[in-house]
Amino acid sequence: MNSAENTSSSNILSIKNLNKIYNNGFHALNNICFDVKRGEFLVIIGLSGSGKSTLLRCINRLHDPSSGEILFNGVDVTQLKGQKLRELRKQAAMIFQHFNLIPRYSVLSNVLMGRLSSTSTLASLFSQFSAKDKKQALEYLRLVGIEEKASLRVDQLSGGQQQRVAIARALSQNPKILLADEPVASLDPATCHTVMDYLKKVNQELNITVICNLHFLSLVKQYATRVIALRKGEIVYQGHPSEITPEWFTKIYGEEAREVHVN
Amino acid sequence: MKTYNFFSIKAIFFDAINFAVVGSILTVAILHPTEEQLLSLHRNALVFLIFFIVGSGLSSILISCCYGKKQSEIKKIISSRYKTLGAHLFESPKYKLNHSTHSFFSTVWGWQLLLTLVLVFITGAIQTHFSFGELFDPQGLNSASQLFRQIASPDWSILPIAVLKVIETIFIAFMATVLAIPIAFFLAFLSAKNIMKHPLAFAFYGLMRTFLNIIRSIEPIIWAIIFSVWVGIGSFSGMLALMIHSVASLTKQYSEIVESVNEGPIEGIQSTGANLIQTIWFAIVPQVVLPYISFTIYRWDINVRMATIIGFAGGGGIGTLLNQYSMRAMWPQVGCLIVVIAAVVWFMDMASAYLRESLK
Ligand SMILES: Nc1ncnc2c1ncn2[C@@H]1O[C@H](COP(=O)(O)OP(=O)(O)O)[C@@H](O)[C@H]1O
Ligand SMILES: [Mg+2]
């Protein structure tokens, strides 16, 4: 991928005519086109079932797109296989609504999982991560403010803390972009802001592009630099969060929706 | 006959088999065929087939009387009186909602069930030569009680060899289990649906499942006979027999555990760019390791019991000794062996239950 890296372009990601049809025939993404600039904090909103998770999982190829192009640093990633696919996943780290950590492992071990793709299979099976990796992992834990929990089992942490471990795991991959699939949907409102603040920190201090699926419009206005709204697998809005008017809101969420505030 | 949904095919198949069994039994009862006639497999299979066909015809007529065929009536039962046993068993839940309240004896399925049970029971009694006369025959009772008395006064002088041989049996079971673990561990992933998603892999998965089912349906005692010809009579052949059986059983149990794992960690590890082996090792293995150990200990426990039986077929250990003594009617010695076996089985059972409890 390095050879084709296109530094002259300011787009880190460029999606063209992306379609996803599931095996059961369901058309989950319909001709999606958009670009993402380096350093953006792009938020994707939409009702549940509108295709947000599908879109993110097409970008890091946890799902295979049916047609269209996904240019990541100028390279189409839709057909990648094997080592190149794993390299893509390493560079496009992901965090999840349910954290997807390994419950029986320590916080530090979980963060080190981010180094798997850069460690030989044999060494990783015996958990032989380099001293540098461990030091880095601890630094990322400090960045998300839970360094002192490094040796605890991760399932003893609260939801918000687990999501911060997941962020640290993602960071230890040294990603170029961070995909966040409803990172705060299973957290209470107070914790919700803490986690979003760390994502913003990652975005601004480490200069990592973030694409984040969100539910609440109030959060969108606070964190996003740009918004895309999905409805039934199609983009119905693209623009700056401050431009979202009540008309747009009903268009995105349907007539019966009321804006929900979270503080 | 019009449109059948899946339930009616299953129901008709059930009824047809039912009818063929009952019909065949009645034919034998009425015609009293000779030994020679009973051995004519071709003709008897033909009779069975004819009954099967008649039965399926009868069943489909009755079922079509029961359920509405038109789209508007599809959820209605027109007359549950004529419902067959097959229909009663396999009808889809949407019909079960509007049950009518006929009593057992005024329905087809009620009589069908009763007739089948009575006939099958009578046939079973004849097949097993069931006889109260034999059971309470004074002479037979007398020799049985003598045998019991001898067994109940064990000859403790053979205790040293019994202990030696039971240790051999425990180790036969132990080796069979231990050697089966790595093989089953590896095969389990190849026989788990959630790992073998790729179409090619899925075909291999189907092959694995069939292969394992065949291996598992061959009793260990058959394997013991095969291996005693192959490597000679003794504990080695017994161990190999149990190992083969354990591989098949453990693979099935392991793969079911793998299939029930939480997908979240798998997705999480995959998203870091980990390869397949790393994903299995870090996302799946931590989830399955405790249930694996639990099933493995239980397998060892089962293997100790099976190793005893296998000894009868030349598999070595205490089973072989038991076979030798009982062939020579040395009942007090047999009594000693029975006590030793019972003690070991009881102990293994307790120990494995304790260990598995601690793993919860
Ligand atoms: N594996 C799948 N197979 C078939 N349909 C799916 C699958 N995953 C998701 N879908 C469907 O695709 C649509 C979009 O799902 P998703 O991307 O999860 O939406 P969101 O994340 O916005 O809630 C939903 O209607 C969902 O039912
Ligand atoms: Mg989703």
Side-chain angles (χ1 to χ4, degrees):
Chain A
M1 215 176 295
N2 289 334
S3 57
E5 192 151 348
N6 189 349
T7 39
S8 64
S9 159
S10 59
N11 289 340
I12 186 167
L13 193 68
S14 178
I15 293 181
K16 292 176 180 158
N17 304 320
L18 181 67
N19 282 280
K20 171 66 185 175
I21 300 165
Y22 278 111
N23 286 339
N24 63 3
F26 186 82
H27 205 143
L29 293 178
N30 200 346
N31 240 18
I32 300 289
C33 299
F34 67 93
D35 292 336
V36 185
K37 291 192 173 46
R38 274 171 222 286
E40 269 194 292
F41 197 117
L42 174 68
V43 167
I44 298 171
I45 55 173
L47 284 176
S48 115
S50 58
K52 304 184 295 296
S53 303
T54 307
L55 177 57
L56 286 197
R57 281 169 176 72
C58 281
I59 295 173
N60 71 354
R61 294 282 310 284
L62 285 179
H63 287 337
D64 285 326
S66 305
S67 68
E69 280 182 18
I70 300 173
L71 300 180
F72 181 63
N73 277 327
V75 178
D76 183 14
V77 299
T78 53
Q79 305 301 326
L80 293 185
K81 283 197 173 68
Q83 181 54 40
K84 289 206 164 128
L85 174 59
R86 295 196 288 275
E87 182 63 23
L88 162 73
R89 287 182 181 155
K90 175 180 170 277
Q91 294 190 19
M94 189 164 196
I95 62 172
F96 304 84
Q97 177 179 354
H98 299 293
F99 326 128
N100 291 357
L101 301 166
I102 303 165
R104 309 180 62 87
Y105 278 31
S106 73
V107 167
L108 183 62
S109 303
N110 266 288
V111 177
L112 284 168
M113 293 295 104
R115 299 307 301 159
L116 284 179
S117 60
S118 312
T119 310
S120 80
T121 304
L122 196 64
S124 68
L125 293 192
F126 293 97
S127 292
Q128 296 298 307
F129 296 99
S130 72
K132 186 167 146 268
D133 286 349
K134 284 183 200 152
K135 196 162 143 275
Q136 270 278 301
L138 283 170
E139 258 162 47
Y140 288 129
L141 280 174
R142 186 173 323 132
L143 187 96
V144 294
I146 40 172
E147 192 195 14
E148 78 282 7
K149 306 250 192 259
S151 57
L152 287 186
R153 249 175 75 153
V154 80
D155 49 6
Q156 309 203 313
L157 268 53
S158 71
Q161 290 170 332
Q162 290 194 35
Q163 194 60 292
R164 282 144 71 185
V165 175
I167 294 174
R169 174 174 80 183
L171 291 180
S172 74
Q173 292 171 226
N174 292 326
K176 302 273 187 300
I177 192 167
L178 181 63
L179 310 170
D181 189 16
E182 311 219 15
V184 295
S186 46
L187 304 179
D188 57 64
T191 330
C192 186
H193 276 282
T194 321
V195 168
M196 287 306 295
D197 285 337
Y198 280 116
L199 283 182
K200 195 180 176 104
K201 191 170 166 187
V202 165
N203 176 239
Q204 294 182 337
E205 289 181 15
L206 304 180
N207 205 19
I208 293 174
T209 312
V210 175
I211 305 182
C212 180
N213 290 346
L214 281 181
H215 246 89
F216 295 116
L217 210 55
S218 55
L219 282 178
V220 176
K221 287 183 170 155
Q222 201 170 337
Y223 293 98
T225 58
R226 196 158 65 95
V227 184
I228 285 178
L230 284 183
R231 189 173 182 191
K232 295 182 180 157
E234 292 181 36
I235 294 186
V236 292
Y237 176 83
Q238 279 204 64
H240 196 266
S242 63
E243 294 160 12
I244 297 183
T245 57
E247 291 79 68
W248 273 113
F249 190 76
T250 46
K251 187 156 182 187
I252 297 163
Y253 284 101
E255 291 300 332
E256 66 281 15
R258 297 272 180 283
E259 184 167 359
V260 189
H261 285 277
V262 168
N263 293 302
Chain B
M1 200 171 285
K2 279 153 248 162
T3 53
Y4 289 118
N5 51 26
F6 195 58
F7 108 74
S8 44
I9 292 171
K10 278 196 214 168
I12 290 168
F13 192 77
F14 178 92
D15 288 330
I17 297 255
N18 189 175
F19 191 81
V21 168
V22 169
S24 306
I25 290 173
L26 286 176
T27 312
V28 172
I30 293 165
L31 296 182
H32 280 295
T34 62
E35 186 86 0
E36 199 182 332
Q37 285 168 323
L38 279 174
L39 283 174
S40 156
L41 188 60
H42 282 97
R43 195 177 37 207
N44 296 341
L46 190 68
V47 171
F48 190 86
L49 187 69
I50 292 170
F51 276 118
F52 182 89
I53 293 167
V54 174
S56 59
L58 218 58
S59 170
S60 38
I61 292 169
L62 285 169
I63 287 177
S64 65
C65 291
C66 286
Y67 301 96
K69 275 281 173 282
K70 280 186 238 127
Q71 205 58 36
S72 57
E73 300 173 340
I74 198 81
K75 287 201 174 118
K76 269 213 302 267
I77 293 184
I78 293 174
S79 167
S80 62
R81 196 177 277 266
Y82 299 114
K83 193 156 62 172
T84 62
L85 188 54
H88 196 61
L89 284 173
F90 291 108
E91 71 183 350
S92 58
K94 66 184 180 210
Y95 292 115
K96 292 206 161 108
L97 294 176
N98 46 23
H99 249 306
S100 68
T101 50
H102 286 297
S103 75
F104 183 86
F105 289 106
S106 59
T107 57
V108 168
W109 69 263
W111 282 102
Q112 192 183 346
L113 182 64
L114 195 69
L115 184 69
T116 308
L117 283 182
V118 168
L119 280 179
V120 167
F121 186 81
I122 293 171
T123 314
I126 295 169
Q127 285 281 330
T128 55
H129 301 282
F130 193 88
S131 152
F132 282 105
E134 295 263 358
L135 192 57
F136 296 111
D137 174 56
Q139 205 187 332
L141 274 180
N142 189 26
S143 35
S145 71
Q146 251 175 23
L147 178 72
F148 269 129
R149 229 173 296 131
Q150 290 193 45
I151 288 179
S153 51
D155 173 8
W156 297 114
S157 70
I158 64 147
L159 190 61
I161 177 91
V163 169
L164 219 58
K165 284 293 176 184
V166 87
I167 290 174
E168 188 179 320
T169 295
I170 292 173
F171 275 102
I172 290 171
F174 176 75
M175 281 307 281
T177 317
V178 166
L179 293 179
I181 293 170
I183 306 174
F185 181 87
F186 178 69
L187 293 182
F189 295 110
L190 300 180
S191 349
K193 238 187 289 191
N194 52 344
I195 306 278
M196 308 298 276
K197 273 181 191 154
H198 190 276
L200 217 71
F202 194 75
F204 186 76
Y205 155 88
L207 224 68
M208 275 302 294
R209 276 275 151 132
T210 319
F211 178 67
L212 288 170
N213 281 340
I214 292 170
I215 300 270
R216 223 154 23 88
S217 62
I218 299 173
E219 285 292 321
I221 194 143
I222 310 280
W223 288 115
I225 293 168
I226 293 170
F227 280 115
S228 62
V229 173
W230 186 345
V231 302
I233 285 181
S235 47
F236 188 42
S237 70
M239 191 278 282
L240 289 175
L242 279 180
M243 189 192 83
I244 292 279
H245 190 74
S246 300
V247 166
S249 302
L250 281 180
T251 304
K252 176 148 197 292
Q253 286 168 332
Y254 287 179
S255 64
E256 274 163 11
I257 297 167
V258 170
E259 282 175 1
S260 68
V261 295
N262 181 359
E263 292 280 330
I266 300 177
E267 202 178 31
I269 295 296
Q270 258 179 352
S271 75
T272 68
N275 62 30
L276 180 68
I277 293 174
Q278 290 170 327
T279 307
I280 289 175
W281 187 252
F282 288 103
I284 298 182
V285 170
Q287 294 192 59
V288 300
V289 84
L290 285 187
Y292 269 28
I293 294 175
S294 176
F295 273 112
T296 310
I297 293 172
Y298 188 48
R299 181 53 46 187
W300 182 23
D301 180 12
I302 292 173
N303 277 347
V304 170
R305 271 174 270 183
M306 277 192 178
T308 313
I309 310 286
I310 275 179
F312 270 83
I318 200 163
T320 303
L321 200 60
L322 185 61
N323 192 21
Q324 285 163 4
Y325 284 131
S326 60
M327 293 287 251
R328 282 183 262 158
M330 296 164 71
W331 303 123
Q333 286 75 9
V334 168
C336 176
L337 295 186
I338 289 176
V339 171
V340 170
I341 292 169
V344 167
V345 166
W346 173 80
F347 176 77
M348 291 293 297
D349 198 48
M350 292 281 287
S352 101
Y354 264 117
L355 280 174
R356 282 180 289 133
E357 188 58 39
S358 75
L359 289 172
K360 286 249 167 73

